[in-house]
Amino acid sequence: MPGLADATRGRILFGGDYNPEQWPEETWHEDVRLMKDAGVNSVTLGVFSWARLEPRPGEREFGWLDRLMDLLHDNGIGVVLATPTSSPPPWLGRLHPETLPRDEDGRTEWWGGRQHFSHSSAVYRRYAAAITEDLAARYGGHPALTMWHINNEYCTYDWGDEAAARFRGWLKSRYGSLDALNSAWGTAFWSQGYGDWAEVLPPRHAHYLKNPCQVLDFKRFTSDMLLECYVAERGIVRRHSPAHIPVTTNFMPLWAGQDAWRWAEEEDVVSVDLYPDPRDPLGAQHGALVQDMTRSQARGPWMLMEQAAGPVNWRGVNHPKPRGLSRLWSLQAVARGADAVCYFQWRQSRQGAEKFHSGMVSHAGEQGRTYQEVKRLGAELARIGPEVTTRHSPSDIAILHDWHSWWAGAHEGRLSGRVDHTEILTAWHRALWQAHLTTDFAHPEHDLGAYKLVLVPHLYALTDRAIDNLVSYVRGGGTLVSGFLTGVADEDDRVREGGMDARLRALFGIRTLHEWWPLDADESAETDAFTGTLWSEEIEKDDEASVEATYKGGELDGLPALLGKGRARYLSTLPEPHALRTLLAAVAAEAGVRPVLDGLPDQVEAVRRGDLLFLLNHGREPVTVEVPGSRRDLLTGAQVEGACTLGRYGVVVLCP
């Protein structure tokens, strides 16, 4: 299979989405001049060009794209060419309304925005395949082509009739019979038993709570249908392209509608769009989490497909990035494995829904601060690229995450609406990030043998295979820490006997899980070691478990909050941030995992990529950091002896 290295060829790819159809053709030469000045070596074309390429059914207008591909190639700029299928032209919806998705209340999503396609529509798929076929046949061998980009941010749901028919087909494939479906869905509850496949529908608007496993399977189905669309277009472009041209599509980070573990297996390059809020004091940690997860999905180098050079346009208040922040967050991505740093978009739009979303060339133009910062970053990435792209770092820690568990645990009938999978995942990752401990992410069924420490913040539903994997990991000498409400249900969202799987109860030293005690926003669970938030549990330990923290006061007074048994620990609440950081750092030390550097100021992030040491100052004030030995800063060429000073949003990349 081709990979990102086939596109980078020893460089860091630098550029962004380029939408020249929004501009008169005389602007293109000016764009190319500015791109070359800024060190841009890659642009993504055609993401939203379907209406331009096929203005009427079956017609093709490729002349403008021919000229553009040639112009970019003549100037040494590679092209990530997109299939334009995320935004069908209005004529498709007008002539074929069955291609338009419907929401759970039966309302049609009309053209006028984007992503207005039904993943289940045979007509949509036929037209999407036709434009992809012609695009790939024309440009698959073009010398400017470095990568294919399929669709864009797959994220469409559909509850319509054609989706319902495909949902029934998907369920027949999964279960084989109605008896098996009725068993998995627990339809004996509320008289929901199905006697004919025609009765089975997507989880449309209901009077009261929907069937949890029906909702879970619909989420699985949606991810699979979108993946079918991707795989179909991928197959077309591969047939028309040299074997070394990789294929990707861009993830939205931690989007609930897409099993990204499964999708990543089908991608040559794993890419993501990342938009932390510049006003969020923990925006850098959010970025680090997404970067760690994407690197783990890619199992190596990955592509930052989109980020903002300045403000976005879809928050309530859209703040620009202070001077230096875009550079800082771009280099953070490189530190955590990115071999491509790109933006949405090249030139800021003057019209349309995203005209206030920033571009690499803002409304201020060439002399604007944004473009000048882009130029500096482009020069720096060109300087460090040959050194960086050859280096990669395995991690000794893995955090486990699974979309199916997330989907199952998010049902509207759960015990606490305050328990949010992504917030808990973020809290545990933040504890490691603040302790300067780098982590991978992994699926609970992955081989965990290479990790010294595995963390399970919150996995409500686990398969038998996943549970056996965790037990085997601990028996093989690994250290495991699990958070609350883990292993409660199986893959059908059926609560396991005892409220937690018996294998896990034995692993953690839990004789009986008597009751769950969720906490209100103004409540806490005090222990003799820390203050717990969000959740608590009434647990009776077995004779072999040791109590490492005990609840104090209230209904749980004297009961264990943190249990240990051998190399496994179970934490039945969410400690406040500082306490969780202290706890996980201590467990990591016991497991033989050390921070990247000791004694760092709180605002400084330290990351190793191979033998390169990245130091990133996320603060607005300069700070001095002690550095062991003598090193050279790849960004400036300066020699660093013993210590270095990082300015506001400053970065050094230190080489031995």
Side-chain angles (χ1 to χ4, degrees):
M1 289 178 60
L4 184 54
D6 291 291
T8 59
R9 300 192 300 275
R11 310 162 298 164
I12 294 173
L13 291 187
F14 181 59
D17 278 28
Y18 183 32
N19 299 287
E21 63 270 30
Q22 299 177 17
W23 301 89
E25 193 159 339
E26 54 266 26
T27 306
W28 300 358
H29 292 273
E30 175 70 2
D31 283 334
V32 167
R33 180 185 69 80
L34 293 175
M35 288 176 188
K36 293 175 70 174
D37 285 350
V40 168
N41 55 31
S42 177
V43 295
T44 300
L45 287 182
V47 175
F48 299 115
S49 298
W50 195 344
R52 180 74 182 272
L53 294 169
E54 188 176 7
R56 284 164 293 279
E59 293 187 14
R60 297 290 185 264
E61 289 191 2
F62 287 130
W64 67 276
L65 191 53
D66 291 346
R67 296 189 296 277
L68 194 63
M69 293 283 286
D70 292 344
L71 175 65
L72 291 165
H73 175 65
D74 290 345
N75 285 275
I77 299 168
V79 173
V80 178
L81 187 57
T83 63
T85 51
S86 68
S87 191
W91 58 256
L92 183 60
R94 179 178 65 84
L95 297 175
H96 300 284
E98 68 273 25
T99 66
L100 300 171
R102 296 195 175 198
D103 68 15
E104 58 187 326
D105 293 316
R107 295 173 299 187
T108 300
E109 293 185 8
W110 298 97
W111 59 89
R114 67 182 208 182
Q115 264 93 16
H116 47 281
F117 65 89
S118 167
H119 49 60
S120 295
S121 167
V123 173
Y124 163 76
R125 291 190 182 199
R126 186 170 70 248
Y127 275 98
I131 189 65
T132 299
E133 185 83 39
D134 290 350
L135 193 74
R138 193 173 189 93
Y139 301 110
H142 197 286
L145 181 69
T146 60
M147 192 185 309
W148 284 104
H149 178 316
I150 304 298
N151 202 279
N152 180 70
E153 294 183 338
Y154 278 103
C155 60
T156 308
Y157 288 92
D158 185 18
W159 284 262
D161 291 342
E162 196 164 359
R166 281 193 178 263
F167 186 42
R168 286 189 285 271
W170 184 92
L171 292 168
K172 288 177 184 178
S173 178
R174 180 175 177 85
Y175 294 112
S177 70
L178 277 173
D179 286 343
L181 179 140
N182 281 317
S183 175
W185 284 15
T187 57
F189 187 76
W190 281 353
S191 185
Q192 293 178 353
Y194 294 99
D196 190 296
W197 283 105
E199 298 163 2
V200 180
L201 294 171
R204 293 170 175 167
H205 183 83
H207 179 74
Y208 187 43
L209 303 176
K210 299 171 186 174
N211 183 301
C213 195
Q214 180 187 13
V215 174
L216 172 59
D217 273 345
F218 185 69
K219 291 178 179 178
R220 290 167 170 154
F221 158 78
T222 296
S223 180
D224 285 356
M225 288 301 99
L226 292 171
L227 183 58
E228 279 189 10
C229 293
Y230 166 78
V231 169
E233 293 184 33
R234 182 197 66 186
I236 293 170
V237 300
R238 278 183 173 171
R239 279 193 286 105
H240 291 283
S241 307
H244 69 274
I245 300 295
V247 185
T248 188
T249 188
N250 47 335
F251 291 153
M252 292 185 292
L254 279 178
W255 182 59
Q258 191 178 41
D259 179 3
W261 290 122
R262 174 74 184 87
W263 278 66
E265 295 172 0
E266 301 290 345
E267 292 190 285
D268 302 328
V269 174
V270 178
S271 59
V272 73
D273 302 344
L274 180 55
Y275 293 99
D277 187 345
R279 283 291 183 94
D280 182 357
L282 291 168
Q285 185 262 320
H286 171 71
L289 184 155
V290 173
Q291 293 154 15
D292 289 342
M293 184 168 288
T294 309
R295 183 188 66 249
S296 302
Q297 290 159 351
R299 304 192 182 202
W302 55 278
M303 181 175 191
L304 178 56
M305 181 70 78
E306 291 185 19
Q307 61 173 330
V312 297
N313 72 313
W314 37 262
R315 293 189 173 102
V317 178
N318 298 289
H319 299 284
K321 288 183 175 178
R323 188 181 300 274
L325 188 61
S326 180
R327 171 181 180 264
L328 173 67
W329 285 355
S330 296
L331 290 169
Q332 181 194 41
V334 174
R336 293 181 179 268
D339 279 359
V341 174
C342 301
Y343 291 86
F344 180 85
Q345 58 181 325
W346 164 249
R347 186 181 285 274
Q348 189 169 10
S349 300
R350 293 180 62 190
Q351 292 179 291
E354 293 185 321
K355 58 182 173 290
F356 293 114
H357 188 296
S358 57
M360 299 168 75
V361 181
S362 71
H363 292 311
E366 181 178 0
Q367 301 307 316
R369 171 171 70 86
T370 300
Y371 176 73
Q372 294 303 315
E373 289 193 62
V374 163
K375 279 184 64 174
R376 178 189 179 189
L377 177 62
E380 291 178 326
L381 294 178
R383 191 176 305 131
I384 69 173
E387 298 278 357
V388 168
T389 56
T390 60
R391 291 169 159 90
H392 310 288
S393 290
S395 174
D396 292 325
I397 304 174
I399 296 175
L400 302 191
H401 166 68
D402 174 37
W403 267 264
H404 297 254
S405 178
W406 178 11
W407 294 335
H411 185 254
E412 54 193 334
R414 62 193 186 274
L415 283 171
S416 173
R418 297 187 63 233
V419 173
D420 181 278
H421 176 85
T422 58
E423 290 183 5
I424 298 168
L425 194 73
T426 297
W428 283 58
H429 181 274
R430 182 183 304 142
L432 297 180
W433 183 75
Q434 292 176 333
H436 308 291
L437 294 164
T438 306
T439 184
D440 286 345
F441 283 85
H443 187 278
E445 294 182 4
H446 284 174
D447 182 359
L448 305 174
Y451 297 107
K452 296 179 180 179
L453 174 62
V454 169
L455 305 178
V456 187
H458 168 59
L459 286 177
Y460 162 82
L462 287 170
T463 63
D464 287 337
R465 181 178 175 184
I467 291 169
D468 289 339
N469 194 39
L470 296 181
V471 173
S472 296
Y473 169 74
V474 175
R475 288 177 177 169
T479 298
L480 176 70
V481 183
S482 174
F484 62 83
L485 207 63
T486 288
V488 172
D490 65 12
E491 62 267 35
D492 295 327
D493 196 12
R494 180 186 292 107
V495 175
R496 292 186 180 271
E497 188 174 351
M500 176 191 281
D501 185 84
R503 289 161 290 182
L504 292 180
R505 281 185 275 126
L507 181 68
F508 296 125
I510 298 171
R511 175 176 287 128
T512 308
L513 199 168
H514 290 284
E515 194 57 86
W516 297 293
W517 289 81
L519 302 174
D520 287 325
D522 60 351
E523 286 186 294
S524 62
E526 297 298 330
T527 79
D528 55 5
F530 51 77
T531 297
T533 67
L534 199 63
W535 192 264
S536 57
E537 293 177 348
E538 187 177 343
I539 290 174
E540 179 183 340
K541 77 176 191 69
D542 68 22
D543 294 336
E544 299 176 32
S546 60
V547 178
E548 299 185 19
T550 302
Y551 288 113
K552 294 172 58 180
E555 296 288 343
L556 304 184
D557 186 48
L559 295 178
L562 174 60
L563 278 178
K565 186 175 179 180
R567 303 186 72 87
R569 287 178 171 86
Y570 183 76
L571 184 59
S572 65
T573 186
L574 179 66
E576 291 181 325
H578 178 75
L580 184 61
R581 170 184 173 180
T582 301
L583 170 63
L584 296 185
V587 176
E590 290 177 15
V593 183
R594 302 293 305 169
V596 176
L597 283 181
D598 289 313
L600 286 172
D602 287 343
Q603 72 267 34
V604 174
E605 176 181 6
V607 185
R608 290 191 187 278
R609 182 165 174 172
D611 57 359
L612 299 180
L613 175 62
F614 285 73
L615 296 175
L616 306 104
N617 179 16
H618 294 288
R620 291 173 173 267
E621 301 298 327
V623 63
T624 299
V625 178
E626 294 185 7
V627 179
S630 176
R631 295 171 179 262
R632 177 173 57 90
D633 179 12
L634 292 181
L635 294 173
T636 64
Q639 201 69 23
V640 175
E641 302 280 352
C644 66
T645 298
L646 299 171
R648 165 190 162 120
Y649 299 142
V651 184
V652 295
V653 182
L654 301 179
C655 180

